[in-house]
Amino acid sequence: MKKSFLIFLLTLFLMPCHAHAVSAVSEKEAFKSMLMEVLKENPDILFNVLKENDSEFIKTITTASETSRTRDLESQWKKDSKEPKTFADAKRPYLGDSSAPNTLYIFSDFLCTYCQKTAGVVETFIKEHKDVKLVFKAFPKSDQGKAALRWFYLMGQKDMKKAWQLHDTVFVHQQAYAANPLEVLKEIVRQQGLNPEQFAAEAEKKQAELDALINEDMKEAEKYHVSGTPYLFINNLVLIGTQNLTTLESALKFSLKK
């Protein structure tokens, strides 16, 4: 009984309260005092609970934390939904059905480790949702990052499947790319059955055109206060930083509410 009671108290203790609910603040303080009293009288309880119910405890706290985070996001999304946002899609690499009714835009940089972690999650999400398409938006932090973006955008104009192969391969070999950008890009293209020297020459020839697309993306990023990468927009709702499938699912459902 004491163990269940303590887990319950710890859960409430770790859940953040909201400033707008005065009664909630009072209840939290009361539970905090109760918790401290129990622990002072029985200091061995906490150790035994964690030892014997570690998985249950972690699951309880994780669920409470995720619930609180979702509540905070939904508060933000209510504001986001009232602020329509428009992005240029033309000549940008996309994934999924081009006529899908929902769009997920991701501002990304090939040298961003957080973008690397989110890339696979986003691609899995698109595969699981035929009603959502992914549109890539460039937000490079360096000339090295910009070079990969040029090749990615150019490949997208030729073969979308190979474009995403290039995208995934650069992220997988991110450190090698950072050390030798051009050589890594050429090797990727070579492995795809294309002439790397010809592709490099075409990328150089079309650099102004490709940079115009990248610069347009960056202007949109500035307009919508994109401060880092990855930075996502799904049907006007904003998601900042590394994402997981649960959050993406929640955002999509929220955006579809009538």
Side-chain angles (χ1 to χ4, degrees):
M1 183 70 179
K2 285 184 178 180
K3 293 177 181 177
S4 299
F5 178 66
L6 182 56
I7 290 177
F8 174 67
L9 286 178
L10 285 169
T11 301
L12 292 171
F13 176 70
L14 293 173
M15 286 178 64
C17 63
H18 297 274
H20 63 273
V22 177
S23 60
V25 175
S26 299
E27 290 177 6
K28 179 185 175 182
E29 291 303 319
F31 277 117
K32 187 188 296 184
S33 298
M34 192 182 304
L35 174 61
M36 295 304 296
E37 183 177 346
V38 171
L39 291 178
K40 286 180 180 179
E41 295 178 358
N42 304 276
D44 60 317
I45 291 180
L46 181 58
F47 175 77
N48 290 331
V49 168
L50 292 176
K51 183 178 180 180
E52 298 175 18
N53 301 273
D54 55 341
S55 60
E56 179 184 351
F57 176 77
I58 292 172
K59 182 179 179 181
T60 300
I61 297 304
T62 300
T63 300
S65 177
E66 187 63 33
T67 299
S68 177
R69 180 172 182 269
T70 299
R71 200 161 43 229
D72 291 340
L73 283 173
E74 289 184 350
S75 177
Q76 171 204 311
W77 291 340
K78 286 180 182 179
K79 298 177 182 178
D80 294 339
S81 62
K82 297 177 182 178
E83 302 174 0
K85 304 168 186 68
T86 57
F87 301 95
D89 291 10
K91 297 184 179 181
R92 271 73 176 182
Y94 69 87
L95 192 63
D97 186 346
S98 60
S99 61
N102 305 290
T103 304
L104 171 60
Y105 294 96
I106 180 167
F107 283 83
S108 186
D109 175 19
F110 280 113
L111 291 178
C112 166
T113 55
Y114 298 108
C115 296
Q116 179 191 50
K117 294 177 182 178
T118 299
V121 174
V122 171
E123 290 183 37
T124 298
F125 178 74
I126 296 300
K127 290 177 182 177
E128 294 178 355
H129 292 273
K130 304 301 182 183
D131 59 338
V132 183
K133 68 177 177 181
L134 169 66
V135 177
F136 188 96
K137 306 293 287 183
F139 195 57
K141 308 294 192 310
S142 66
D143 290 338
Q144 287 177 312
K146 203 169 186 178
L149 289 165
R150 292 190 191 108
W151 283 52
F152 181 37
Y153 276 36
L154 178 58
M155 187 68 81
Q157 296 173 17
K158 296 175 175 295
D159 186 317
M160 199 61 71
K161 183 178 180 180
K162 288 184 176 179
W164 286 99
Q165 288 175 347
L166 184 148
H167 168 277
D168 295 346
T169 306
V170 172
F171 271 133
V172 168
H173 301 285
Q174 192 177 65
Q175 292 185 348
Y177 173 77
N180 296 287
L182 188 57
E183 291 307 312
V184 169
L185 290 172
K186 285 183 177 181
E187 183 57 29
I188 294 173
V189 169
R190 182 181 292 107
Q191 291 294 328
Q192 292 179 320
L194 301 176
N195 185 311
E197 299 304 328
Q198 289 182 0
F199 198 93
E202 185 174 0
E204 184 175 355
K205 180 179 179 181
K206 294 184 176 180
Q207 181 172 325
E209 175 188 335
L210 296 168
D211 282 353
L213 295 174
I214 294 172
N215 291 336
E216 185 176 17
D217 288 349
M218 295 182 72
K219 286 181 180 179
E220 290 176 350
E222 182 179 1
K223 178 180 179 181
Y224 296 119
H225 310 293
V226 174
S227 55
T229 54
Y231 208 103
L232 300 79
F233 296 85
I234 180 165
N235 295 344
N236 285 323
L237 307 186
V238 178
L239 292 168
I240 304 173
T242 306
Q243 300 300 321
N244 56 50
L245 288 173
T246 300
T247 304
L248 291 174
E249 292 279 359
S250 297
L252 178 61
K253 290 179 181 178
F254 189 92
S255 73
L256 296 177
K257 290 180 181 179
K258 301 283 186 175

